[in-house]
PDB file of all heavy atoms in Angstrom:
ATOM      1  N   GLY A  40       6.261   1.369  -7.648  1.00 82.00           N
ATOM      2  CA  GLY A  40       6.413   2.043  -8.940  1.00 82.00           C
ATOM      3  C   GLY A  40       6.997   3.455  -8.773  1.00 82.00           C
ATOM      4  O   GLY A  40       7.509   3.788  -7.643  1.00 82.00           O
ATOM      5  N   ASN A  41       6.990   4.241  -9.777  1.00 85.00           N
ATOM      6  CA  ASN A  41       7.420   5.610  -9.719  1.00 85.00           C
ATOM      7  C   ASN A  41       6.507   6.566  -8.929  1.00 85.00           C
ATOM      8  O   ASN A  41       5.291   6.550  -9.129  1.00 85.00           O
ATOM      9  CB  ASN A  41       7.659   6.270 -11.058  1.00 85.00           C
ATOM     10  CG  ASN A  41       8.676   5.556 -11.871  1.00 85.00           C
ATOM     11  OD1 ASN A  41       9.643   5.136 -11.224  1.00 85.00           O
ATOM     12  ND2 ASN A  41       8.436   5.188 -13.100  1.00 85.00           N
ATOM     13  N   PRO A  42       7.139   7.322  -8.033  1.00 90.00           N
ATOM     14  CA  PRO A  42       6.260   8.168  -7.174  1.00 90.00           C
ATOM     15  C   PRO A  42       5.934   9.492  -7.843  1.00 90.00           C
ATOM     16  O   PRO A  42       6.655  10.007  -8.609  1.00 90.00           O
ATOM     17  CB  PRO A  42       6.962   8.452  -5.910  1.00 90.00           C
ATOM     18  CG  PRO A  42       8.577   8.402  -6.478  1.00 90.00           C
ATOM     19  CD  PRO A  42       8.427   7.399  -7.538  1.00 90.00           C
ATOM     20  N   TYR A  43       4.625   9.935  -7.603  1.00 92.00           N
ATOM     21  CA  TYR A  43       4.255  11.349  -7.976  1.00 92.00           C
ATOM     22  C   TYR A  43       3.933  12.097  -6.697  1.00 92.00           C
ATOM     23  O   TYR A  43       3.097  11.735  -5.934  1.00 92.00           O
ATOM     24  CB  TYR A  43       3.024  11.284  -8.806  1.00 92.00           C
ATOM     25  CG  TYR A  43       3.222  10.580 -10.079  1.00 92.00           C
ATOM     26  CD1 TYR A  43       3.244   9.186 -10.204  1.00 92.00           C
ATOM     27  CD2 TYR A  43       3.449  11.389 -11.305  1.00 92.00           C
ATOM     28  CE1 TYR A  43       3.415   8.622 -11.518  1.00 92.00           C
ATOM     29  CE2 TYR A  43       3.689  10.757 -12.548  1.00 92.00           C
ATOM     30  CZ  TYR A  43       3.690   9.251 -12.565  1.00 92.00           C
ATOM     31  OH  TYR A  43       3.904   8.698 -13.729  1.00 92.00           O
ATOM     32  N   LEU A  44       4.893  12.985  -6.337  1.00 95.00           N
ATOM     33  CA  LEU A  44       4.908  13.544  -4.908  1.00 95.00           C
ATOM     34  C   LEU A  44       4.626  15.083  -5.017  1.00 95.00           C
ATOM     35  O   LEU A  44       4.852  15.867  -6.028  1.00 95.00           O
ATOM     36  CB  LEU A  44       6.383  13.377  -4.360  1.00 95.00           C
ATOM     37  CG  LEU A  44       6.754  11.954  -4.155  1.00 95.00           C
ATOM     38  CD1 LEU A  44       8.241  11.824  -4.099  1.00 95.00           C
ATOM     39  CD2 LEU A  44       6.104  11.504  -2.848  1.00 95.00           C
ATOM     40  N   PHE A  45       3.878  15.521  -3.967  1.00 97.00           N
ATOM     41  CA  PHE A  45       3.347  16.900  -3.939  1.00 97.00           C
ATOM     42  C   PHE A  45       3.546  17.432  -2.471  1.00 97.00           C
ATOM     43  O   PHE A  45       3.610  16.688  -1.454  1.00 97.00           O
ATOM     44  CB  PHE A  45       1.945  16.948  -4.189  1.00 97.00           C
ATOM     45  CG  PHE A  45       1.512  16.467  -5.559  1.00 97.00           C
ATOM     46  CD1 PHE A  45       1.373  14.964  -5.752  1.00 97.00           C
ATOM     47  CD2 PHE A  45       1.182  17.237  -6.589  1.00 97.00           C
ATOM     48  CE1 PHE A  45       1.080  14.461  -6.891  1.00 97.00           C
ATOM     49  CE2 PHE A  45       0.772  16.733  -7.866  1.00 97.00           C
ATOM     50  CZ  PHE A  45       0.801  15.397  -8.054  1.00 97.00           C
ATOM     51  N   TRP A  46       3.784  18.849  -2.419  1.00 98.00           N
ATOM     52  CA  TRP A  46       3.785  19.542  -1.204  1.00 98.00           C
ATOM     53  C   TRP A  46       2.724  20.531  -1.290  1.00 98.00           C
ATOM     54  O   TRP A  46       2.648  21.350  -2.352  1.00 98.00           O
ATOM     55  CB  TRP A  46       5.044  20.293  -0.952  1.00 98.00           C
ATOM     56  CG  TRP A  46       6.127  19.271  -0.168  1.00 98.00           C
ATOM     57  CD1 TRP A  46       7.134  18.612  -0.713  1.00 98.00           C
ATOM     58  CD2 TRP A  46       6.211  18.991   1.081  1.00 98.00           C
ATOM     59  NE1 TRP A  46       7.914  18.057   0.118  1.00 98.00           N
ATOM     60  CE2 TRP A  46       7.280  18.182   1.379  1.00 98.00           C
ATOM     61  CE3 TRP A  46       5.388  19.245   2.352  1.00 98.00           C
ATOM     62  CZ2 TRP A  46       7.601  17.596   2.723  1.00 98.00           C
ATOM     63  CZ3 TRP A  46       5.685  18.778   3.548  1.00 98.00           C
ATOM     64  CH2 TRP A  46       6.753  17.961   3.624  1.00 98.00           C
ATOM     65  N   TYR A  47       1.935  20.634  -0.121  1.00 98.00           N
ATOM     66  CA  TYR A  47       0.910  21.722   0.021  1.00 98.00           C
ATOM     67  C   TYR A  47       1.094  22.408   1.375  1.00 98.00           C
ATOM     68  O   TYR A  47       1.743  21.835   2.316  1.00 98.00           O
ATOM     69  CB  TYR A  47      -0.508  21.085  -0.027  1.00 98.00           C
ATOM     70  CG  TYR A  47      -0.898  20.522  -1.322  1.00 98.00           C
ATOM     71  CD1 TYR A  47      -0.581  19.265  -1.760  1.00 98.00           C
ATOM     72  CD2 TYR A  47      -1.771  21.382  -2.094  1.00 98.00           C
ATOM     73  CE1 TYR A  47      -1.107  18.806  -3.011  1.00 98.00           C
ATOM     74  CE2 TYR A  47      -2.261  20.871  -3.399  1.00 98.00           C
ATOM     75  CZ  TYR A  47      -1.913  19.579  -3.782  1.00 98.00           C
ATOM     76  OH  TYR A  47      -2.377  19.238  -4.976  1.00 98.00           O
ATOM     77  N   VAL A  48       0.598  23.663   1.425  1.00 97.00           N
ATOM     78  CA  VAL A  48       0.629  24.413   2.753  1.00 97.00           C
ATOM     79  C   VAL A  48      -0.740  24.836   3.087  1.00 97.00           C
ATOM     80  O   VAL A  48      -1.614  25.144   2.183  1.00 97.00           O
ATOM     81  CB  VAL A  48       1.587  25.614   2.622  1.00 97.00           C
ATOM     82  CG1 VAL A  48       1.103  26.478   1.523  1.00 97.00           C
ATOM     83  CG2 VAL A  48       1.653  26.337   3.932  1.00 97.00           C
ATOM     84  N   GLN A  49      -1.064  24.775   4.343  1.00 96.00           N
ATOM     85  CA  GLN A  49      -2.459  25.065   4.878  1.00 96.00           C
ATOM     86  C   GLN A  49      -2.272  26.199   5.958  1.00 96.00           C
ATOM     87  O   GLN A  49      -1.710  25.951   6.933  1.00 96.00           O
ATOM     88  CB  GLN A  49      -3.256  23.941   5.333  1.00 96.00           C
ATOM     89  CG  GLN A  49      -4.644  24.286   5.745  1.00 96.00           C
ATOM     90  CD  GLN A  49      -5.400  23.071   6.100  1.00 96.00           C
ATOM     91  OE1 GLN A  49      -4.929  22.156   6.669  1.00 96.00           O
ATOM     92  NE2 GLN A  49      -6.753  22.932   5.794  1.00 96.00           N
TER      93      GLN A  49
END
Side-chain angles (χ1 to χ4, degrees):
Chain A
N41 295 320
Y43 296 80
L44 296 157
F45 302 79
W46 274 103
Y47 288 86
V48 60
Q49 185 177 35

